[in-house]
Amino acid sequence: MIHLKTQEQIDKIRKACHLTADMFNELIPQIHAGLSTKQIDEMFEKYIVSHGGKPAWKREGFPGVVCISINNEVIHGLPSKKRIVKDGDLVSLDVGIDLDGYISDTTHSLLIGNVSPEVRKLQKVTEECLQAGIAACVVGNRISDISKAVYEVARKNGYGVVYDYCGHGVGLDVHEDPSVPNCPSHGLNPRIKEGMVLAIEPMINMGVPDVYTADDGWTVLTEDGKVSCHEEHTVAVFSDHNEVLTDLNYKNLK
């Protein structure tokens, strides 16, 4: 069931999303080679709790605050003292905040130090995929229009588009209907309506689109071992426009 949000609910979701954007703006400059993924997780947890929020992923049993996925890890990477960020890594940070029962969801992939041109291009194209998906997220279109927009940008650049995982509704819970695939599918294809709040999240692989889950039961990796990139925003739909609630630059857009 798709929950169309009221203006009051969107206002509260927006607060959670703006707090998430503020968090990334403060913490991204502090992330560097040599940190463990556990240290990064602790940084984000301290920020969330000190600002009156709760780590949203703990609602679903995730053993951490941030899904920290490095290089060939697509999503759901587990924080650990043994996993150290290295120069040249692509590190995706997927975080949600539960603020008074309203949920944000966003992912940013960071390029650490001397990253190869190939990985830099992957990150740039994944961001372009996200922006294309957001542009298609308007009243009157269908969910498939978001999927096609993401897919076409990725395929034009020769990348694999993960099909086993996708975006989703968000705001009142971590995962809500509808699913928002990143490639054409034969699933449900509802029309986009005012009041929808969607997490649009391209997961783009440098190689094949196929993935598998590690023995830890969480971490999803590329089948061929090549690098993957993940970018995500929470987007609210209004009658004549949409709003990227998790935009890091939101203060300058008012």
Side-chain angles (χ1 to χ4, degrees), residues 20-32 35 43-44 93 107-112 248:
T20 307
D22 292 341
M23 175 175 64
F24 270 100
N25 282 327
E26 180 169 324
L27 296 184
I28 283 176
Q30 300 179 37
I31 297 172
H32 55 80
L35 288 177
M43 290 164 55
F44 278 84
L93 305 174
T107 304
H108 296 282
S109 287
L110 311 185
L111 303 175
I112 306 298
L248 298 188

Side-chain angles (χ1 to χ4, degrees), residues 113-185:
N114 298 303
V115 177
S116 72
E118 293 81 9
V119 172
R120 288 187 181 277
K121 179 183 176 183
L122 176 67
Q123 194 276 334
K124 178 176 180 292
V125 171
T126 305
E127 178 63 31
E128 291 172 358
C129 289
L130 175 59
Q131 294 305 321
I134 291 170
C137 183
V138 294
V139 168
N141 277 356
R142 291 189 178 273
I143 292 297
S144 62
D145 291 301
I146 300 174
S147 308
K148 291 175 184 175
V150 170
Y151 185 79
E152 288 174 0
V153 173
R155 294 303 299 163
K156 181 177 67 176
N157 286 275
Y159 294 140
V161 183
V162 174
Y163 51 83
D164 285 340
Y165 297 89
C166 61
H168 49 87
V170 70
L172 305 182
D173 206 345
V174 172
H175 291 102
E176 303 176 19
D177 292 332
S179 294
V180 185
N182 292 309
C183 53
S185 72

